[in-house]
Amino acid sequence: MLQLFRIFIIPSLMSLFLTASAQQSYQDIENLLEIDPTWVYPQDNVTKALKQIIMLKNGADTVTINRFDAQWRKIYTKSFSGNKPESITTYVNSTDGKTWSWRSQRLKDKTVWTSKTTYRSVGIPSKLYNMDYNSKGDTIASGSAIFDYDAKGKLLQRRDYRAGKLSLQRNYRYQGLNLVEMTSQLTGSVAKKRMEYNYNANGRLVETREFFVNPKENTLMRIIQYSWEKGKLVEKRYKNEMPPKKEYNFRYGYDDKGRISTYEAKLDTNFKQAKFIYEGERLKEIEMQFNSKTFFPDALPVWNADFFKGIMIYRKIYSYNEKGDMIMAEQFYGNRIEQRFEYVLTY
């Protein structure tokens, strides 16, 4: 299966009273967009060791072996399931940071996935190519993306291709250094998604407006407002402008070191609340209470909770070795352990 871009997908909460074709076009655009840039949650620590063995204990063990070079860049991954090797992936980084590529082979059916990214400067992509091959070496899927910038390095356009044909185009417009508009349109569709971004005097994003546009309508779908204190995002307020016209908000709290410490989301009677517990400089535990599987954007999604009534308690606990590297991450629902990641490290 071709995996063209590793992005977060944010399902829409809105019921769109549009024609079937228009609704599909809007949802396709929605599902191809990157995550909101104001995402604030700490991710699992990336352990810096020349070799990692990651064991996922969730029924049958799944094991992944990673190796890194002296600059901590990943160069090799081998994955196992039930003690049987599943795939081998190799990574190549150029010394100047201008290219990065990987090749992954599934050992069972000998299919191969490849990817290569070139950069105009470190971290700024110019082209991306992905190809999938069957066991005979025939191309079974392909995808690419081309990024265009202005003379100051601001992204002006991104074009995505499938099997050599343009599939999605995004255009970006700026005022000074601030992005003020983004439009996204699928090839063959008359409909597009348009985002407008507004900022305060300090250059902080304070409002996003989301429109569904076609030749006959320019419909405001949603407004997101942002509040900031001391340079930190403290609240996001969502207002859906299409029926059902729900309003919901998210509050963020920080400790005296500026780290995320609390989170709260509310939608009608549904809620999610989380607190982040630190031990010294390290994140030790995330504890969440929620009474609904309803997905709130940005709300620490819990994908595999069973259906339940009442309030569910979810915890994620991190353990570290004497070097400060993470060696275990455990997930619990109530008192029931759901998953355990163990990291065996070689320095």
Side-chain angles (χ1 to χ4, degrees), residues 155-284:
L155 179 63
L156 298 179
Q157 188 178 85
R158 169 175 167 171
R159 301 185 303 278
D160 293 10
Y161 296 83
R162 298 281 184 177
K165 296 182 179 180
L166 182 67
S167 61
L168 176 69
Q169 180 169 308
R170 278 167 276 200
N171 296 297
Y172 305 85
R173 185 170 64 85
Y174 301 81
Q175 286 183 356
L177 296 176
N178 291 330
L179 174 67
V180 295
E181 183 182 71
M182 186 279 292
T183 59
S184 180
Q185 186 169 18
L186 295 166
T187 299
S189 172
V190 297
K192 66 176 65 174
K193 179 176 180 176
R194 180 164 60 86
M195 304 293 295
E196 293 181 355
Y197 306 94
N198 298 304
Y199 303 82
N200 63 17
N202 295 322
R204 301 284 183 188
L205 181 65
V206 294
E207 185 178 81
T208 299
R209 289 177 172 256
E210 179 180 328
F211 296 85
F212 179 77
V213 181
N214 64 33
K216 295 184 178 180
E217 61 182 323
N218 183 20
T219 304
L220 177 62
M221 307 297 295
R222 184 167 65 175
I223 299 173
I224 308 173
Q225 296 173 324
Y226 308 83
S227 296
W228 303 81
E229 292 180 8
K230 298 179 180 179
K232 296 287 186 180
L233 179 66
V234 295
E235 186 176 21
K236 292 173 71 173
R237 296 178 297 278
Y238 287 74
K239 298 180 180 180
N240 286 337
E241 298 297 321
M242 294 293 290
K245 292 188 176 182
K246 297 288 187 180
E247 294 189 14
Y248 44 104
N249 73 304
F250 307 88
R251 293 286 304 175
Y252 310 91
Y254 303 86
D255 65 14
D256 55 5
K257 295 184 177 181
R259 302 173 300 191
I260 184 75
S261 60
T262 59
Y263 167 85
E264 184 175 27
K266 290 183 178 180
L267 175 60
D268 298 328
T269 59
N270 300 326
F271 72 89
K272 284 185 179 178
Q273 297 172 329
K275 62 180 179 180
F276 302 82
I277 301 169
Y278 297 87
E279 192 174 80
E281 299 300 319
R282 304 177 193 127
L283 177 64
K284 180 65 177 177

Side-chain angles (χ1 to χ4, degrees), residues 286-288 290 302 312-316 331-334:
I286 301 174
E287 183 178 298
M288 185 193 303
F290 57 103
V302 180
M312 176 67 81
I313 305 296
Y314 165 85
R315 292 187 302 147
K316 191 166 186 179
Q331 299 180 44
F332 296 83
Y333 291 114

Side-chain angles (χ1 to χ4, degrees), residues 302-319:
V302 180
W303 299 110
N304 50 349
D306 297 329
F307 178 78
F308 63 91
K309 293 181 179 180
I311 297 176
M312 176 67 81
I313 305 296
Y314 165 85
R315 292 187 302 147
K316 191 166 186 179
I317 299 175
Y318 302 90
S319 300

Side-chain angles (χ1 to χ4, degrees), residues 93-100 117-122 124 126:
N93 296 273
S94 65
T95 55
D96 60 5
K98 293 295 184 68
T99 62
W100 177 82
T117 305
T118 59
Y119 300 87
R120 66 194 305 266
S121 59
V122 177
I124 308 298
S126 58

